[in-house]
């Protein structure tokens, strides 16, 4: 790696990508930030509840500690977290919160004390959720970081390429010799990427490293809180290039999305403030299913809603926040949750007086590109951070408001590793301490169809989303997963696609197949992965089972060598 002005390509404009790009630019690196939409189109911008951190002794909630945050994260993750990754996340949180404020992000303050206001959410043992703009935390954070990125771009420190869809990771010439380490995935180095601009014209960029921070894949499902851009592109790119992926079966469903309109998220902070779930008969049913009731971990609440509807024959449940308004006084909900208040009012609800119909919706993918504690993937030159990555922090179920924090902490650690390597002039890239396996569904490089797929059938995006929702959603079983696997195997693309919509659909089909195959392999129920044919006790053991993450690699990667760029092609 070059020691001067090394070039980092950052893909994605959520919290991990924006923050990483800014830190790399501050360190003197040459930075290009690409995003397939506008900078504000990200899951980060949609996040309502907040970002959790145990601040200094004078700012934390009484009795709260970093160790308590660690313990809560491990319990929510059902024993499937990497303890060291969790320790790093929680112990380094306060410093990254301070860095956010340095970049212009302003968190809400308690009017009486002047300290940062702290909220409570499900599965947290103390109030440690920082919020901004009431319930617009993600938007405030994203807008602050975007403004800082725009300023850096104006100074020539960051090149911003919006509406650019990355279609391929490019490798070094070593990609041609099939270089592998025994028992590990493909080890060719990543040296750039190819992308389509807004006119679907193909361009390439060379660089010293790529940071994939491209977000999640909520568009796999019919009901999702994710924006339209969340189509699993980063995982698809990394898989095709030969990177190891992991924990793909763990997809979290948020229990309280509005059951009308466009699945608008009702933040978990509302239940933290005292709102409760009720069925059509008015029963507050969650205490039936878990001792923590309405503040149980998200996977438990989503699964309990499904179980309760099946048991009672009802078709919907409701979120009752009227007691919060009564306890806190008139106008409290509108002041504390202005975004939710406006959205529900636009749909004709007065949630200070009415219950809101809610349903679980696809929200967050715990699985992704496997990385070490410094954001390094199994491919030299490829970093990953945020929802596209699998750091081991979330285990089988993400603790509320840990996602924005993960993007900060591990986005920063990835950039720090890149900067340190550039300063040392080294290209050393350690091998991940895992042994990935080949998925039983066959070679899924995007060009090879398993032999079991006798015929090829078109599968539209709406059909794919219905298939995944019905067969790989909150509750799964072998029969449904096999049905989905067969349909998806017959719909795998023969090529990556040369137009944006085609390429995006192909990414969705590929990551859908990966998720389904991983879910078939895991013949037990843990966290967000619930197999009705392998049921777990209604109240899981707090520590959960021992961690046994599954990691996978593509035995037939497709990696095009990066070509030296002409001066006119550089940015």
């Amino acid at each position: 790696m070059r020691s001067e002005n090394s070039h980092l390509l950052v893909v994605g404009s959520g919290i991990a990508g924006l923050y990483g790009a800014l830190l790399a630019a501050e360190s003197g690196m040459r930075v290009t930030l690409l995003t397939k939409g506008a900078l504000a189109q990200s899951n980060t911008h949609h996040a309502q509840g907040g970002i959790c951190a145990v601040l200094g002794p004078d700012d934390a909630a009484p009795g709260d500690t970093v160790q308590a945050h660690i313990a809560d994260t491990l319990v929510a993750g059902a024993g499937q977290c990497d303890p060291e990754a969790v320790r790093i996340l929680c112990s380094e949180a306060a410093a990254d919160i301070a860095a956010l404020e340095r970049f212009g992000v302003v968190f809400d303050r308690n009017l009486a004390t002047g300290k940062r206001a702290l909220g409570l959410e499900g599965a947290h043992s103390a109030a440690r959720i920082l919020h901004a703009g009431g319930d617009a935390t993600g938007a405030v954070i994203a807008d602050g970081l975007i403004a800082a990125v725009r300023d850096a771009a104006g100074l020539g420190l960051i090149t911003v390429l919006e509406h650019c869809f990355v279609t391929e990771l490019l490798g070094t010439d070593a990609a041609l010799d099939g270089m592998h380490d025994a028992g590990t995935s493909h080890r060719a180095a990543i040296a750039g990427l190819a992308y389509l601009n807004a006119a679907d014209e193909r361009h390439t960029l060379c660089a010293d490293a790529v940071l994939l921070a491209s977000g999640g894949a909520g568009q796999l499902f019919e009901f999702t809180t994710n924006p339209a851009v969340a189509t699993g592109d980063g995982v698809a790119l990394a898989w095709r290039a030969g990177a190891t992926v992991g924990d793909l079966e763990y997809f979290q469903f948020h229990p309280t999305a509005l059951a009308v309109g466009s699945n608008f998220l009702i933040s978990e902070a509302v239940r933290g403030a005292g709102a409760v779930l009720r069925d059509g008969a008015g029963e507050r049913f969650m205490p039936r299913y878990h001792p923590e009731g309405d503040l149980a971990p998200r996977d438990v609440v989503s699964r309990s809603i499904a179980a309760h509807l099946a048991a009672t024959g009802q078709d919907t449940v409701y979120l009752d926040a009227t007691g919060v308004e009564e306890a806190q006084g008139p106008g409290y909900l509108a002041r504390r949750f202005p975004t939710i208040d406006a959205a529900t009012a636009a749909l004709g609800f007065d949630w200070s007086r009415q219950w809101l119909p809610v349903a679980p919706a696809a929200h967050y993918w715990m699985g992704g590109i496997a990385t070490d504690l410094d954001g390094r993937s199994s491919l030299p030159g490829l970093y990953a951070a945020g929802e596209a990555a699998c750091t081991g922090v979330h285990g089988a179920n993400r603790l509320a408001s840990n996602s924005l924090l993960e993007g900060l902490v591990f986005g920063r650690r990835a950039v720090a590793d890149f900067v340190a390597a550039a300063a040392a002039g080294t290209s050393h890239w350690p091998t991940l301490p895992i042994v990935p396996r080949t998925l039983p569904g066959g070679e899924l490089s995007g060009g090879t169809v398993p032999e079991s797929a006798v015929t090829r059938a078109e599968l539209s995006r709406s059909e794919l989303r219905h298939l995944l929702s019905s067969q790989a959603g909150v509750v799964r079983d072998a029969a449904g997963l096999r049905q989905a696997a067969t349909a998806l195997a017959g719909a795998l693309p023969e090529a990556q696609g040369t137009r944006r919509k085609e390429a995006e659909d192909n990414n969705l089909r590929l990551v859908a197949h990966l998720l389904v195959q991983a879910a078939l392999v895991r013949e037990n129920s843990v966290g967000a992965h619930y197999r009705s044919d392998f049921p777990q006790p209604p109240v899981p053991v707090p520590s959960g089972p021992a961690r046994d993450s599954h990691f996978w690699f593509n035995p037939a990667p497709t990696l095009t060598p990066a070509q030296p760029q002409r001066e006119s092609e550089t940015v």
Side-chain angles (χ1 to χ4, degrees):
M1 185 179 292
R2 295 191 299 271
S3 60
E4 289 187 22
N5 205 26
S6 294
H7 189 193
L8 177 67
L9 298 179
V10 179
V11 181
S13 59
I15 191 169
L18 294 169
Y19 187 55
L22 286 166
L23 295 179
E26 280 192 338
S27 298
M29 303 295 103
R30 189 158 65 97
V31 181
T32 302
L33 173 63
L34 300 93
T35 181
K36 72 175 182 179
L39 286 179
Q41 291 179 275
S42 68
N43 272 342
T44 293
H45 212 278
H46 283 69
Q48 292 177 6
I51 181 169
C52 60
V54 178
L55 305 173
D58 295 333
D59 294 307
D64 197 16
T65 64
V66 169
Q67 286 303 316
H69 185 190
I70 291 171
D72 291 346
T73 301
L74 293 173
V75 170
Q80 298 300 299
C81 303
D82 177 342
E84 181 59 14
V86 173
R87 185 197 65 77
I88 287 171
L89 178 84
C90 300
S91 61
E92 297 183 4
D96 283 304
I97 293 297
L100 271 187
E101 293 176 319
R102 179 170 63 83
F103 283 123
V105 175
V106 178
F107 291 102
D108 295 341
R109 297 268 173 173
N110 184 302
L111 295 180
T113 65
K115 297 179 181 179
R116 301 179 192 87
L118 300 173
L120 178 68
E121 293 187 358
H124 284 272
S125 59
R128 62 173 71 101
I129 317 302
L130 291 88
H131 51 83
D135 57 354
T137 308
V140 171
I141 290 174
D143 289 344
L145 293 178
I146 288 170
V149 165
R150 296 284 191 204
D151 289 344
L155 295 173
L157 302 176
I158 298 176
T159 299
V160 176
L161 298 178
E162 296 178 271
H163 306 287
C164 291
F165 184 83
V166 178
T167 58
E168 186 179 4
L169 295 174
L170 305 178
T172 61
D173 289 339
L176 299 178
D177 65 14
M179 181 175 60
H180 292 263
D181 290 339
T184 67
S185 60
H186 198 70
R187 294 287 288 175
I190 298 302
L193 54 79
Y195 69 92
L196 300 175
N197 65 12
D200 276 344
E201 298 166 331
R202 186 178 187 273
H203 296 268
T204 62
L205 287 170
C206 291
D208 297 284
V210 174
L211 170 60
L212 283 179
S214 51
Q219 292 301 317
L220 285 171
F221 299 91
E222 285 181 297
F223 303 105
T224 180
T225 63
N226 290 188
V229 294
T231 53
D233 306 312
V235 172
L237 285 167
W239 175 267
R240 291 191 184 102
T244 297
V245 296
D247 285 348
L248 299 180
E249 62 271 35
Y250 299 140
F251 208 110
Q252 183 181 81
F253 286 73
H254 196 290
T256 55
L258 269 180
V260 295
S262 58
N263 305 126
F264 180 81
L265 175 67
I266 305 298
S267 169
E268 192 158 324
V270 176
R271 280 177 285 133
V276 297
L277 287 162
R278 298 189 186 277
D279 63 17
E283 180 190 352
R284 183 184 172 188
F285 60 89
M286 271 306 302
R288 281 197 199 184
Y289 299 94
H290 196 277
E292 294 180 20
D294 300 280
L295 291 179
R298 287 177 177 175
D299 65 309
V300 174
V301 179
S302 291
R303 196 161 54 250
S304 298
I305 290 172
H308 192 72
L309 292 177
T312 61
Q314 300 177 31
D315 57 3
T316 193
V317 298
Y318 301 87
L319 184 68
D320 175 11
T322 60
V324 179
E325 185 84 351
E326 292 172 3
Q328 299 292 337
Y332 174 80
L333 290 174
R335 291 193 304 273
R336 174 62 180 87
F337 305 105
T339 306
I340 298 173
D341 187 70
T344 53
L347 291 168
F349 294 100
D350 178 357
W351 71 321
S352 67
R353 298 172 181 270
Q354 296 173 278
W355 302 348
L356 300 175
V358 294
H363 187 57
Y364 190 91
W365 202 2
M366 278 74 72
I369 305 160
T371 70
D372 66 8
L373 299 176
D374 292 310
R376 295 175 291 210
S377 76
S378 61
L379 293 182
L382 180 63
Y383 294 90
E387 192 172 352
C390 177
T391 62
V393 157
H394 304 306
N397 178 59
R398 175 175 67 86
L399 179 66
S401 291
N402 262 354
S403 57
L404 293 177
L405 181 61
E406 184 199 30
L408 278 182
V409 171
F410 289 93
R412 187 245 312 148
R413 290 179 68 90
V415 169
D417 183 81
F418 173 74
V419 171
T426 178
S427 59
H428 172 68
W429 195 272
T431 299
L432 290 180
I434 56 177
V435 179
R437 297 180 286 170
T438 304
L439 274 171
E443 296 179 357
L444 305 175
S445 66
T448 305
V449 179
E451 293 180 2
S452 59
V454 178
T455 60
R456 177 171 295 280
E458 290 296 326
L459 192 67
S460 69
R461 186 178 297 198
S462 62
E463 290 170 334
L464 180 146
R465 298 178 73 194
H466 178 74
L467 179 70
L468 268 287
S469 297
S470 60
Q471 308 300 347
V474 175
V475 178
R476 308 158 174 180
D477 62 27
L481 290 168
R482 289 193 189 103
Q483 179 182 334
T486 299
L488 290 163
L492 282 175
E494 293 180 341
Q496 292 180 22
T498 58
R499 304 184 72 82
R500 180 181 303 234
K501 177 65 165 58
E502 178 189 7
E504 194 175 61
D505 284 346
N506 288 348
N507 287 345
L508 275 171
R509 294 187 188 106
L510 175 56
V511 298
H513 200 127
L514 297 175
L515 185 156
V516 167
Q517 292 292 341
L520 268 170
V521 171
R522 182 168 291 285
E523 294 184 327
N524 69 327
S525 290
V526 58
H529 173 71
Y530 186 80
R531 290 277 298 263
S532 59
D533 47 347
F534 294 95
Q536 64 186 13
V539 181
V541 177
S543 61
R547 186 180 190 226
D548 64 342
S549 289
H550 294 165
F551 297 98
W552 313 99
F553 76 100
N554 177 6
T558 54
L559 194 58
T560 303
Q563 300 298 321
Q565 291 176 317
R566 298 187 300 272
E567 185 64 28
S568 61
E569 295 177 310
T570 61
V571 294

